[in-house]
Amino acid sequence: ANGGGGPRNPRSGHSGRRIGGWCARPRVVLLAAITLMGTSARLAKPTSTTSSDVLDETRGMFSVGCARSSVAGKCPGFRTCLARIVGFNEAVFKRNMPHRTERTPVTFNCTKETCLDRAGCKRPFRMYVLTRRNVPPPLHRCIQNPQLDAWSRSLITHWAGRACAFFGQLRSCRGQELAAVRELPFWGEDGFRFVLRDTTDRGILPRERNTYFGRAALASTNTAVTRFIPGLDVAIALPGESARERLLPLLAHTRAHQRRWLLTFKGSLAAQKSSREMAVLHHDEQRRVVIVGRYKGAECPHANVNATATNPNRPPPPPRHHSAAVAQCCARLEQLYASYDYDDLMNTTFALLPPGRQHATNRLPEVMAAGAIPVFFGIDGSTLPYADMIDWPALSFNVPADTDLTRDLVPLLERVAADAARIDAMEARVRAVYARYLSGGEEMMNHLIFETFRRRYEFESGRRRRQLVQAEAMAEEHSDQQHYV
């Protein structure tokens, strides 16, 4: 009955003899089976998260899971990846900070006292506008016809002798075209009373300005201390992308102190944008701080393909060999970047604004359209857009690129965000300034340039200008508050 004898187990009814080499006792069989199953599962299933993190650490590679659950810069391998891709080193960057703006000392041909001919301007203020019809043929590709609103057109005169200033909108002047600028009508010997607008990423270099532009004023998006003459030049803003049309209805009724995120940034990285590498080290989702970036240039293998695919007119970048470690670092950064939606990150109280290819950025009007409070990062020594008219300290923060965001900035923003009344007041100013100065495109940009020089030539003092701006802001703030009510 029991297969050949042997004592029966009184609980199970099975004998204790061995069958096929296995002990037939149920408890022993169960324990053995569990042990074997666990061993086979460990051998068969993929490496667990913990094992992967350990393996990545030994290879100098960061884990995306670690970057999403803690401060990114503290994850093993994160800083190593930035060093592998573009050679970024935080210590070297901070050490060079005091010398970044002094590498090219520049002495310009004029100052605001010597290059604004207020005495020669007959009031009311009038502007002579240069177009392709009234410039020599060599400058047809360099000068473009400006887009002007009705108010700006009302200031135009076609009689040069009546003009207080001459306005020209540059496209992309290079080489012989720069020398041809001196052939502009009414240029004279040194371009006195000329205002030239430039929004190119490269901008006008200091040596080019001294060589070709004489005493002309620049309205530019490149406002570094080595390129800008305070009181003469005008700092202008780049127009925002189409994202603002999507963001306005989504966040129009969400107050800044009720937003999902505290501080956000999502954008491209590059070797010349070291302040952005500094920023991504402080990505910390647990504290509602999302700062992510990816490389879109030749630094990463996938970026080369994407750049050619998205812009077929752009020549392919020169071939560059990428090691397996660099390729994997790029893939991890891309994975972390893709895990956050850009529009969702606009649901933030504060928005980080590091410089891009130039100090101006398309991101500024976008974040202000969303009602987020700008936090300028790493634009040391630069002039903010329309500084003659906008009281930026009242509605934004400005921090140097060597600031420890985790230790110094984030705690400050957390304290400010806890004060709902202060945040709501700053948000109201942000929305008012956006509507007044940044919500339009080319026409608004030229309008503000004309308005800046009209105020200067009509002797509106700085105090009077500030009073007018404050009055406008208070009226718009009251209107905005009524809208929320």
Side-chain angles (χ1 to χ4, degrees):
N2 60 13
R8 298 179 60 86
N9 188 317
R11 295 186 178 181
S12 64
H14 296 289
S15 66
R17 65 177 298 183
R18 292 181 179 274
I19 302 176
W22 288 94
C23 178
R25 293 189 178 91
R27 292 184 179 181
V28 177
V29 172
L30 181 60
L31 291 173
I34 292 175
T35 303
L36 288 173
M37 289 173 61
T39 303
S40 61
R42 286 194 299 270
L43 293 175
K45 80 173 189 175
T47 307
S48 66
T49 303
T50 304
S51 302
S52 176
D53 292 343
V54 173
L55 186 60
D56 288 339
E57 184 177 354
T58 60
R59 294 176 177 176
M61 191 67 57
F62 76 94
S63 162
V64 174
C66 175
R68 295 202 60 170
S69 60
S70 63
V71 180
K74 295 182 179 179
C75 291
F78 191 89
R79 295 169 185 268
T80 304
C81 272
L82 297 180
R84 283 175 173 169
I85 298 172
V86 293
F88 176 75
N89 184 289
E90 181 181 9
V92 174
F93 176 80
K94 288 184 176 181
R95 188 165 59 248
N96 293 336
M97 275 290 296
H99 311 289
R100 289 170 63 86
T101 58
E102 302 297 334
R103 287 180 299 180
T104 310
V106 177
T107 302
F108 291 112
N109 294 329
C110 61
T111 65
K112 65 178 182 179
E113 288 79 15
T114 59
C115 288
L116 280 181
D117 184 23
R118 292 188 177 95
C121 176
K122 298 178 182 179
R123 260 67 62 185
F125 173 83
R126 290 292 181 266
M127 183 85 81
Y128 185 96
V129 177
L130 299 170
T131 64
R132 294 182 185 179
R133 296 177 58 183
N134 53 24
V135 300
L139 281 169
H140 283 181
R141 198 177 75 87
C142 184
I143 296 290
Q144 64 183 109
N145 297 330
Q147 300 179 26
L148 302 174
D149 60 11
W151 180 87
S152 299
R153 289 195 297 271
S154 70
L155 299 182
I156 293 178
T157 179
H158 299 287
W159 177 31
R162 175 64 183 82
C164 296
F166 300 84
F167 177 76
Q169 184 170 318
L170 303 179
R171 293 183 65 188
S172 181
C173 298
R174 298 291 179 269
Q176 294 301 317
E177 294 171 340
L178 282 177
V181 167
R182 292 176 293 188
E183 304 301 322
L184 286 171
F186 317 111
W187 182 264
E189 295 183 0
D190 52 10
F192 189 46
R193 294 195 296 163
F194 266 72
V195 181
L196 300 177
R197 199 197 90 175
D198 174 71
T199 57
T200 59
D201 290 336
R202 177 180 178 271
I204 305 299
L205 301 180
R207 63 177 181 274
E208 294 173 340
R209 179 169 191 172
N210 280 336
T211 303
Y212 302 113
F213 288 84
R215 299 167 69 187
L218 292 181
S220 176
T221 52
N222 283 279
T223 60
V225 66
T226 55
R227 300 190 183 198
F228 191 82
I229 302 176
L232 174 67
D233 296 340
V234 179
I236 58 180
L238 290 171
E241 301 295 345
S242 59
R244 64 172 179 263
E245 281 76 21
R246 303 194 310 271
L247 298 170
L248 279 171
L250 293 174
L251 298 171
H253 299 286
T254 306
R255 305 311 297 265
H257 70 275
Q258 299 171 332
R259 301 288 177 87
R260 176 182 180 184
W261 301 107
L262 176 70
L263 177 68
T264 63
F265 168 79
K266 181 179 181 179
S268 61
L269 305 174
Q272 69 272 22
K273 304 175 186 176
S274 296
S275 57
R276 296 194 174 193
E277 274 88 0
M278 279 289 297
V280 298
L281 294 175
H282 301 278
H283 168 77
D284 187 0
E285 184 179 327
Q286 302 306 307
R287 296 180 71 176
R288 301 189 299 131
V289 175
V290 177
I291 306 174
V292 291
R294 64 173 176 179
Y295 290 96
K296 296 175 64 177
E299 299 88 355
C300 287
H302 67 275
N304 296 337
V305 177
N306 292 341
T308 306
T310 56
N311 190 354
N313 297 322
R314 178 184 300 173
R320 176 178 173 181
H321 173 72
H322 298 90
S323 66
V326 168
Q328 192 172 4
C329 282
C330 292
R332 294 291 177 90
L333 287 173
E334 182 72 23
Q335 183 181 350
L336 180 63
Y337 180 92
S339 63
Y340 297 97
D341 179 70
Y342 185 86
D343 287 358
D344 177 64
L345 293 182
M346 286 296 178
N347 187 10
T348 180
T349 303
F350 302 96
L352 195 71
L353 292 168
R357 290 185 294 270
Q358 51 181 300
H359 284 80
T361 170
N362 299 103
R363 181 172 163 82
L364 176 60
E366 291 181 6
V367 301
M368 295 182 71
I373 297 166
V375 178
F376 297 101
F377 178 69
I379 59 169
D380 317 329
S382 299
T383 303
L384 294 176
Y386 313 118
D388 286 2
M389 295 180 277
I390 300 176
D391 184 12
W392 286 108
L395 55 91
S396 66
F397 294 88
N398 194 338
V399 296
D402 58 349
T403 302
D404 190 319
L405 302 188
T406 302
R407 185 190 64 196
D408 300 323
L409 180 63
V410 173
L412 170 65
L413 298 183
E414 289 173 337
R415 291 193 298 271
V416 175
D419 187 347
R422 179 180 178 184
I423 287 296
D424 288 346
M426 294 185 73
E427 180 196 358
R429 296 189 191 102
V430 165
R431 292 186 182 276
V433 167
Y434 169 76
R436 174 68 178 83
Y437 301 101
L438 301 175
S439 58
E442 294 284 330
E443 288 187 0
M444 177 171 283
M445 186 186 302
N446 290 330
H447 176 112
L448 294 170
I449 295 172
F450 279 40
E451 175 65 5
T452 299
F453 281 93
R454 183 197 68 78
R455 294 182 179 187
R456 290 177 179 176
Y457 277 94
E458 293 192 348
F459 298 98
E460 287 188 10
S461 65
R463 181 178 180 182
R464 175 59 179 160
R465 286 200 300 271
R466 287 192 295 272
Q467 289 174 346
L468 292 172
V469 171
Q470 290 172 0
E472 293 173 358
M474 289 178 63
E476 292 171 351
E477 181 177 336
H478 176 72
S479 174
D480 193 56
Q481 290 174 349
Q482 290 294 103
H483 166 73
Y484 281 117
V485 172

